[in-house]
């Protein structure tokens, strides 16, 4: 987006203030610079040449979860999150990235180096992390580390990444479809169970799954921090890796990854018309796993066995408000025999994770998360289902901090349990 | 303000309560008015108190130093009322947001001024009571702002404005003195003891003191709601229908109007909407016990039948929502009638006698035509109060110039028709120029009141033509 286009879009905010009623950050702070209206006004002043110090503007723009709540109900149709991200981009182009992000994005940019660093970290976490009892994917730091609050409960890295556990092609007999699975970093390196579940569910539905080895981070945390150049590199890399594959669909396991493919890659590759056209074609066949199993290839409900559990569903911002996937999740979950769904008060309310937001503003992210945890507890459910690794980790942290027993799963893990229950001819119980 | 004064404020109120970076100040330099989009109203300092005692100390200091103080709620006003015209301290009241007591047996609640209107009613929902005034900005407007501008909304037809529900106030005066209006220990629902200072502060636009607490009257929630809608080929017939409904001794809880421009906007925004093409569509809402609701909705339909081209009514909750939909989307829809353009808030709040409703609506469209400006008009017709929404390209200076003339002409017309330039949004900066004409010698009395309470003119100076 050019600064002229940005300026024009900013003019459309009439400052009615309706975003104050939904912005999760504002609702904790009651302070105008934290709400979309304030941020957009400030950005507009900056572009109009008023002397807004760039570091002050950057600090204001960084306090946004990009949760799309403001955009979802703006009477003027202003997409606050996109304009805030565009503002970050503009600032980075003028003054560069902060040091911490520069270092981490440089590492992330190179797939092999990133892989190597994470394998080192997998080894190092044996010493550095203390696993919590009673929760398989929960640990806290033993020593202080930059960017992580020690009391924060994180998920440890998996012993082996998902992609290293499978061949690049997972074939089935008489395939009904062939898909390429985009794992995303959280599933590849941390929540590998969710990846395995996705592969199990897809193959149970006679879908051949390609798992391209060379796929890399979707770039969402990079380009939403304003680092368009590296964002473009990652978009280009992934599009090129997936372009040659003879697949019916690209299936994603996280709303942010899916949004990157569907909305951001064509935009990021605008300078290269040929590749952009490829990215557009791929965007049109990118689906979240729940969307795929609901709208594209309705899952084989007869194969689902009984799972005795009470679940509640957290709708990730980029999955529900971004990709429009919410009712599909319910359709799938209610198809599983034995599952009781108790909706929380506000399933689409942001959990406060916001990717790197919860690293930079952990205390604020915790306060936002407290509402989510209270809503979850109120349902009486034993399992929380969600479709985003970042939400999962933050909700897990919140539940641990509040000494709550609920487990958090990717929706597709519940489906995998149901298929395996049928195969084993028994009921799986999730409670307790 | 001097650096030293800011440091003093920090030591008085605490560093975390005083904000003075450029970015923070710029976020308090506007409200929703077009005027505040076109001008910078930059404060020197933003003060975010969470305790009355901090306000008292800051007021004493500002009084001593002759520093302007501007109270601000959610900043959703449309008249430039909560922005500083000459710097000073903006007090953001939003962190004073507790409901202090709920006493529905005595039909009252006590709240801090930063409580958001919808939040108050959400908290009251379980009690079966509610605070009846209902501004369109319910989800963000604060009670303090509503009191300061005597806000109302659709249901003023039956329930009146905020003024009718304010029983007493705690106010910090210009010199830091704290007073309680409506009787310092009084919890009664009415009193005629002394001057009615409570009502003096209601609608005073923050020019007389800082409201820090409010005792409000609440009412039982109506059991049921019903709706009748009627579409008219002639604007004048819509006006006649409103008069006729009252004449038949029916008091609807709301009567809303969409003119042809708003009907077009709503349909363009949501093509599937249930809405006949017409010069005007009226929405009558009735509430009360179930049999009364059915009876009244039917009666209204009967009354309208002779004048309207299409009439419908219902008391089924699901259908009520469907019929209301066109009215509820029109605010959002008005900004979308012209791609790339923006709905702006200027000249948006005229109020005329009910019998002049047709003339006013025709006048607004004629003015729009004259200046080649799209204006979407809807409003609270039971009070003759209209919100006209000009839709312009803000990058085009010529359109900005023209829309200011449009607003002036609409407001002039309202005065000619025996109305007022503002029914519920307030005067602030943007309508100050009409005060002399609206009030004549009464304006001098207002100025004397202001002078008596704020002799140094430090509280929200330069507003309301005072």
């Amino acid at each position: 987006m050019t600064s002229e286009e940005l300026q024009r879009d900013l003019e459309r905010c009439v400052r009615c203030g309706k975003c104050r009623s939904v912005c999760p950050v504002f609702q904790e702070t009651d302070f105008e610079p934290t709400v979309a209206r304030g941020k957009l006004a400030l950005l507009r002043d900056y572009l109009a040449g008023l002397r807004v110090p760039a570091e002050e503007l950057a600090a204001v723009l960084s306090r946004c979860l990009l949760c799309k709540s403001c955009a979802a109900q703006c009477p003027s149709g202003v997409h606050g999150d996109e304009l805030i991200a565009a503002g970050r981009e503009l600032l980075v182009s003028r003054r560069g990235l902060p040091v911490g992000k520069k270092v981490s994005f440089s590492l992330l940019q190179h797939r092999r180096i990133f892989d190597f660093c994470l394998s080192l970290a997998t080894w190092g976490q044996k010493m550095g992390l203390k696993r919590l009892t009673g929760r398989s994917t929960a640990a806290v730091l033993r020593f202080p580390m930059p960017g992580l609050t020690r009391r924060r409960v994180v998920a440890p890295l998996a012993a082996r990444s998902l992609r290293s556990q499978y061949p690049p092609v997972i074939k089935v007999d008489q395939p009904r479809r062939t898909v390429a699975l985009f794992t995303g970093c959280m599933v590849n390196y941390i929540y590998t169970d969710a990846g395995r579940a996705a592969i199990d569910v897809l193959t149970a539905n006679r879908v051949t799954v390609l798992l391209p080895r060379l796929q890399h981070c979707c770039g969402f945390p990079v380009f939403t921090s304003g680092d368009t150049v590296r964002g473009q590199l990652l978009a280009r890399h992934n599009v090129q890796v997936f372009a040659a594959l003879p697949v019916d669909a690209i299936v994603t396991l996280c709303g942010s990854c899916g949004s990157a493919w569907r909305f951001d890659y064509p935009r990021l590759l605008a300078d290269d018309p040929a590749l952009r056209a490829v990215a557009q074609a791929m965007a049109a066949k990118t689906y979240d796993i729940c969307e795929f199993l609901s709208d594209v290839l309705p899952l084989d409900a007869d194969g689902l066995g009984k799972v005795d559990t009470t679940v509640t569903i957290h709708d990730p911002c980029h999955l529900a408000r971004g990709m429009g996937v919410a009712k599909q999740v319910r359709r799938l979950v209610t198809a599983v025999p034995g599952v009781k769904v108790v909706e929380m008060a506000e399933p689409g309310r942001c959990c406060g994770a916001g990717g790197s937001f919860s690293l930079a503003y952990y205390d604020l992210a915790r306060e936002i998360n407290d509402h989510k945890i209270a809503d979850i507890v109120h349902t009486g459910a034993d399992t929380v289902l969600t479709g985003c690794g970042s939400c999962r980790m933050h909700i897990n942290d919140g539940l641990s901090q509040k000494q709550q027993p609920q487990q958090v799963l990717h929706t597709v893990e519940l489906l995998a349990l149901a298929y395996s229950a049928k195969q084993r001819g028994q009921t799986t119980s999730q409670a307790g | 303000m001097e650096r030293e004064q800011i440091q003093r404020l920090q030591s008085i109120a605490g560093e975390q309560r005083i904000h003075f970076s450029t970015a923070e100040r710029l976020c308090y330099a506007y409200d929703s008015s077009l005027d505040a989009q076109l001008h910078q109203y930059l404060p020197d300092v933003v003060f975010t108190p969470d305790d009355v005692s901090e306000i008292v100390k800051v007021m004493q200091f500002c009084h001593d130093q002759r520093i302007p103080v501007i109270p601000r709620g959610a900043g959703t006003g449309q008249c430039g009322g909560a922005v500083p015209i000459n710097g000073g301290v903006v007090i953001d009241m939003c962190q004073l947001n507790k409901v202090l007591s709920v006493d529905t047996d005595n039909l009252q609640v006590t709240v801090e001024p930063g409580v958001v209107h919808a939040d108050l009613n959400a908290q009251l929902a379980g009690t079966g009571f509610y605070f009846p005034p209902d501004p369109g900005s319910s989800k963000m407007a604060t009670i303090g702002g509503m009191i300061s501008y005597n806000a109302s909304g659709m249901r003023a037809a039956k329930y009146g404005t905020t003024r009718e529900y304010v029983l007493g106030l705690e106010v910090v005066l210009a010199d830091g003195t704290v007073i309680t209006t409506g009787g310092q220990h009084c919890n009664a629902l009415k009193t005629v003891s002394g001057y009615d200072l409570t009502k003096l502060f209601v609608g005073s636009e923050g020019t007389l003191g800082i409201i820090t607490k409010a005792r409000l009257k609440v009412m039982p929630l109506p059991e049921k709601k019903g709706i009748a809608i009627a579409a008219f080929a002639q604007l004048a017939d819509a006006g006649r229908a409103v008069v006729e409904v009252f004449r038949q001794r029916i008091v609807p809880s709301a009567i809303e109007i969409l003119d042809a421009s708003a009907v077009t906007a709503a349909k363009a925004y949501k093509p599937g909407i249930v809405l006949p093409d017409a010069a005007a569509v009226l929405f009558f809402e009735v509430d009360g016990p179930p049999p009364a609701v059915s009876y009244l909705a039917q009666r209204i339909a009967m009354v309208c039948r002779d004048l309207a081209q299409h009439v419908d009514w219902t008391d089924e909750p699901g259908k009520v929502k469907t019929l209301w939909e066109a009215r509820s989307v029109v605010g959002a829809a008005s900004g979308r009638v012209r791609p790339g353009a923006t709905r702006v808030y200027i000249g948006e709040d005229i109020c005329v006698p009910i019998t002049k409703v047709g003339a006013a609506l025709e006048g607004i469209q004629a003015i729009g035509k004259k200046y080649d400006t799209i204006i979407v008009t809807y409003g609270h017709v039971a009070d003759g109060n209209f919100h006209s929404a000009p839709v312009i390209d803000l990058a085009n200076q010529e359109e900005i110039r023209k829309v200011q003339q449009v607003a002036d002409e609409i407001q002039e017309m309202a005065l000619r028709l025996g109305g007022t330039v503002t029914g519920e949004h307030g005067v602030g900066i943007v309508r100050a120029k009409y005060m002399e004409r609206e009030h004549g010698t009464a304006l001098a009395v207002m100025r004397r009141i202001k002078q008596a309470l704020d002799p140094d003119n430090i509280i929200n100076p330069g507003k309301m033509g005072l």
Side-chain angles (χ1 to χ4, degrees):
Chain A
M1 193 182 281
T2 65
S3 61
E4 289 74 30
E5 285 166 342
L6 178 56
Q7 211 158 358
R8 216 181 152 77
D9 282 356
L10 288 166
E11 297 279 7
R12 292 177 54 214
C13 169
V14 290
R15 300 175 177 176
C16 68
K18 201 161 186 194
C19 42
R20 290 171 62 105
S21 67
V22 290
C23 173
V25 182
F26 176 77
Q27 286 179 350
E28 299 308 319
T29 60
D30 286 311
F31 189 44
E32 185 78 12
T34 62
V35 78
R37 178 174 68 164
K39 293 175 173 114
L40 301 186
L42 198 59
L43 189 52
R44 196 166 110 185
D45 291 340
Y46 176 76
L47 288 170
L50 293 182
R51 289 198 187 124
V52 185
E55 65 279 9
E56 288 184 16
L57 176 61
V60 166
L61 295 185
S62 74
R63 289 224 279 182
C64 172
L65 290 150
L66 302 179
C67 72
K68 294 179 172 288
S69 306
C70 54
Q73 60 128 40
C74 173
S76 305
V78 174
H79 292 271
D81 58 317
E82 291 172 17
L83 300 183
I84 288 164
R88 292 176 180 175
E89 195 175 300
L90 180 82
L91 285 174
V92 169
S93 73
R94 291 188 181 178
R95 53 198 288 279
L97 276 171
V99 180
K101 284 196 170 174
K102 199 170 178 176
V103 172
S104 50
F105 292 168
S106 303
L107 292 175
L108 177 66
Q109 179 187 337
H110 304 287
R111 193 180 52 83
R112 283 193 186 146
I113 298 176
F114 186 57
D115 257 347
F116 176 69
C117 289
L118 287 174
S119 56
L120 274 185
T122 307
W123 176 80
Q125 72 180 6
K126 285 176 190 156
M127 270 181 62
L129 286 183
K130 186 169 84 181
R131 292 195 185 239
L132 301 180
T133 47
R135 199 174 279 273
S136 60
T137 53
V140 290
L141 291 174
R142 284 187 205 276
F143 317 107
M145 243 183 78
L148 265 187
T149 310
R150 274 191 72 190
R151 65 191 164 90
R152 181 174 192 173
V153 176
V154 294
L157 291 159
R160 282 184 68 195
S161 72
L162 179 77
R163 296 197 291 264
S164 68
Q165 297 176 33
Y166 285 90
V169 181
I170 304 147
K171 282 191 180 158
V172 295
D173 291 335
Q174 299 174 309
R176 293 158 74 203
R177 294 281 197 287
T178 299
V179 304
L181 186 64
F182 184 80
T183 64
C185 299
M186 295 293 273
V187 166
N188 188 47
Y189 298 110
I190 297 173
Y191 296 116
T192 48
D193 287 354
R196 273 198 295 278
I199 293 167
D200 290 349
V201 171
L202 287 167
T203 51
N205 280 280
R206 297 215 325 272
V207 176
T208 288
V209 181
L210 308 192
L211 198 58
R213 279 279 160 80
L214 295 180
Q215 61 177 291
H216 193 24
C217 169
C218 69
F220 201 89
V222 176
F223 58 76
T224 53
S225 295
D227 189 349
T228 316
V229 176
R230 284 194 187 84
Q232 284 167 334
L233 285 173
L234 290 164
R236 178 177 293 275
H237 172 86
N238 283 323
V239 169
Q240 283 170 341
V241 167
F242 280 72
L245 304 175
V247 294
D248 302 303
I250 296 167
V251 172
T252 58
L253 302 174
C254 154
S256 303
C257 299
S259 295
W261 277 95
R262 190 178 281 177
F263 307 116
D264 298 296
Y265 284 0
R267 174 181 67 80
L268 286 164
L269 298 171
D271 292 344
D272 183 342
L275 198 60
R276 184 186 187 209
V278 176
Q280 271 171 333
M282 293 166 87
K285 60 176 184 181
T286 296
Y287 301 96
D288 175 74
I289 182 90
C290 289
E291 193 179 23
F292 182 79
L293 294 168
S294 168
D295 301 349
V296 182
L297 183 74
L299 92 173
D300 167 25
D302 295 337
L304 297 166
K306 199 172 178 205
V307 184
D308 274 335
T309 182
T310 302
V311 305
T312 190
I313 299 164
H314 164 66
D315 289 318
C317 302
H318 297 140
L319 187 59
R321 282 184 288 279
M323 298 180 79
V325 178
K327 61 178 186 300
Q328 293 91 331
V329 177
R330 279 121 186 112
R331 208 175 287 147
L332 297 179
V333 172
T334 51
V336 178
V339 170
K340 184 180 169 204
V341 181
V342 183
E343 293 282 5
M344 63 181 84
E346 294 177 87
R349 183 185 177 125
C350 179
C351 71
S356 58
F357 178 92
S358 57
L359 294 177
Y361 303 108
Y362 181 68
D363 289 340
L364 189 51
R366 269 272 51 82
E367 285 171 30
I368 296 167
N369 191 256
D370 286 348
H371 301 285
K372 180 60 68 179
I373 301 303
D375 282 357
I376 289 169
V377 171
H378 192 70
T379 62
D382 48 65
T383 301
V384 184
L385 298 179
T386 191
C388 162
S390 180
C391 299
R392 181 177 182 172
M393 194 185 292
H394 200 48
I395 291 172
N396 225 334
D397 177 24
L399 290 168
S400 300
Q401 306 280 356
K402 303 276 179 198
Q403 281 98 43
Q404 292 296 323
Q406 297 83 347
Q407 61 169 347
V408 192
L409 296 179
H410 192 292
T411 310
V412 80
E413 288 179 82
L414 177 76
L415 301 179
L417 281 169
Y419 279 114
S420 105
K422 182 84 169 195
Q423 280 158 14
R424 287 185 282 114
Q426 51 184 263
T427 298
T428 300
S429 175
Q430 284 300 298
Chain B
M1 273 171 71
E2 305 293 328
R3 176 81 209 164
E4 213 171 76
Q5 291 174 315
I6 296 175
Q7 283 169 343
R8 282 286 306 281
L9 281 174
Q10 286 180 303
S11 66
I12 291 169
E15 280 187 24
Q16 75 283 10
R17 305 256 156 244
I18 301 294
H19 315 270
F20 55 92
S21 74
T22 307
E24 288 162 336
R25 289 156 57 216
L26 279 167
C27 289
Y28 288 88
Y30 54 78
D31 63 358
S32 300
S33 62
L34 174 63
D35 183 61
Q37 296 219 34
L38 303 176
H39 302 100
Q40 287 292 321
Y41 293 110
L42 200 61
D44 294 305
V45 165
V46 177
F47 168 37
T48 52
D50 73 346
D51 192 277
V52 181
S53 63
E54 296 165 358
I55 299 176
V56 170
K57 284 186 276 183
V58 166
M59 280 310 302
Q60 285 165 343
F61 175 72
C62 290
H63 182 251
D64 183 49
Q65 302 279 312
R66 308 282 188 271
I67 297 169
V69 175
I70 301 91
R72 178 186 176 96
T76 53
Q78 296 169 3
C79 64
V83 293
I85 55 167
N86 279 317
V89 178
V90 162
I91 310 187
D92 179 344
M93 305 295 286
C94 292
Q95 294 184 28
L96 282 161
N97 57 7
K98 288 188 278 299
V99 174
L100 299 170
S101 69
V102 174
D103 181 6
T104 52
D105 288 353
N106 283 309
L107 300 181
Q108 57 195 279
V109 296
T110 305
V111 302
E112 291 185 329
V115 170
V116 170
H117 175 261
D119 293 346
L120 172 60
N121 276 339
Q123 282 198 46
L124 286 173
T127 67
F129 286 78
Y130 78 127
F131 177 61
D134 62 330
S137 53
S138 162
K139 286 184 178 170
M140 53 276 192
T142 62
I143 296 294
M146 286 181 67
I147 294 170
S148 297
Y149 291 81
N150 189 25
S152 47
M154 296 202 296
R155 298 188 178 92
K158 180 174 175 181
Y159 294 100
T161 64
T162 300
R163 174 171 286 125
E164 280 78 56
Y165 298 88
V166 186
L167 301 170
L169 294 170
E170 179 185 271
V171 183
V172 180
L173 299 178
D175 61 0
T177 308
V178 181
I179 63 163
T180 299
T181 70
Q184 50 181 336
H185 304 296
C186 177
N187 288 322
L189 286 169
K190 61 182 192 182
T191 167
V192 289
S193 167
Y195 285 157
D196 194 343
L197 295 182
T198 304
K199 304 298 193 265
L200 174 63
F201 284 100
V202 177
S204 66
E205 303 196 0
T207 60
L208 300 178
I210 313 292
I211 296 168
T212 50
K213 207 182 279 179
R215 188 163 64 91
L216 306 172
K217 183 175 177 178
V218 295
M219 299 284 280
L221 271 164
E223 264 184 89
K224 195 173 181 184
K225 286 179 180 175
I227 184 172
I229 71 166
F232 299 86
Q234 306 290 330
L235 276 174
D237 288 340
R240 257 179 238 129
V242 172
V243 173
E244 196 52 37
V245 164
F246 284 126
R247 198 177 278 159
Q248 294 296 320
R249 296 187 288 179
I250 302 167
V251 183
S253 48
I255 313 177
E256 294 292 294
I257 190 166
L258 303 191
D259 80 352
S261 65
V263 170
T264 310
K267 284 186 155 183
Y269 181 59
K270 267 208 168 164
I273 219 154
V274 184
L275 196 57
D277 280 314
V281 178
L282 290 181
F283 298 73
F284 296 87
E285 185 196 71
V286 288
D287 65 4
V293 166
S294 308
Y295 171 76
L296 289 172
Q298 285 180 73
R299 281 285 310 281
I300 291 170
M302 275 168 59
V303 172
C304 291
R305 205 149 277 148
D306 293 339
L307 296 159
Q309 61 188 58
H310 170 89
V311 178
D312 196 2
W313 74 273
T314 186
D315 58 0
E316 294 167 32
K319 207 172 160 209
V320 167
K321 208 176 159 200
T322 312
L323 289 185
W324 260 126
E325 195 183 8
R327 172 62 186 88
S328 61
V329 302
V330 72
S334 50
R336 318 269 180 105
V337 290
R338 184 181 153 200
T342 305
R343 176 249 175 106
V344 291
Y345 295 105
I346 182 168
E348 81 295 338
D349 189 37
I350 62 162
C351 193
V352 299
I354 296 174
T355 51
K356 300 290 167 58
V357 160
L361 286 169
E362 277 163 6
I364 291 169
Q365 288 314 318
I367 293 165
K369 216 170 204 172
K370 178 177 167 189
Y371 290 97
D372 192 23
T373 300
I374 298 174
I375 305 175
V376 176
T377 304
Y378 54 95
H380 318 309
V381 68
D383 315 313
N385 187 191
F386 298 115
H387 300 317
S388 40
V391 183
I392 65 163
D393 177 0
L394 273 172
N396 184 326
Q397 290 305 314
E398 175 62 13
E399 291 195 26
I400 291 175
R401 192 187 59 75
K402 279 199 299 192
V403 81
Q404 288 167 325
Q405 289 175 303
V406 164
D408 284 342
E409 289 206 15
I410 289 174
Q411 290 173 148
E412 293 283 346
M413 176 192 71
L415 296 180
R416 273 200 315 278
L417 292 172
T420 169
V421 295
T422 179
E424 57 183 15
H425 291 175
V427 176
I429 298 171
V430 303
R431 287 180 270 266
K433 63 184 176 186
Y434 298 101
M435 285 293 282
E436 192 86 51
R437 277 176 59 196
E438 283 216 22
H439 301 287
T441 48
L443 180 60
V445 177
M446 292 187 207
R447 286 178 177 147
R448 293 216 303 268
I449 292 171
K450 168 73 173 166
Q451 171 74 21
L453 286 173
D454 179 19
D456 297 311
N457 193 26
I458 62 161
I459 303 187
N460 207 6
K463 306 294 167 65
M464 286 172 72
L466 297 170

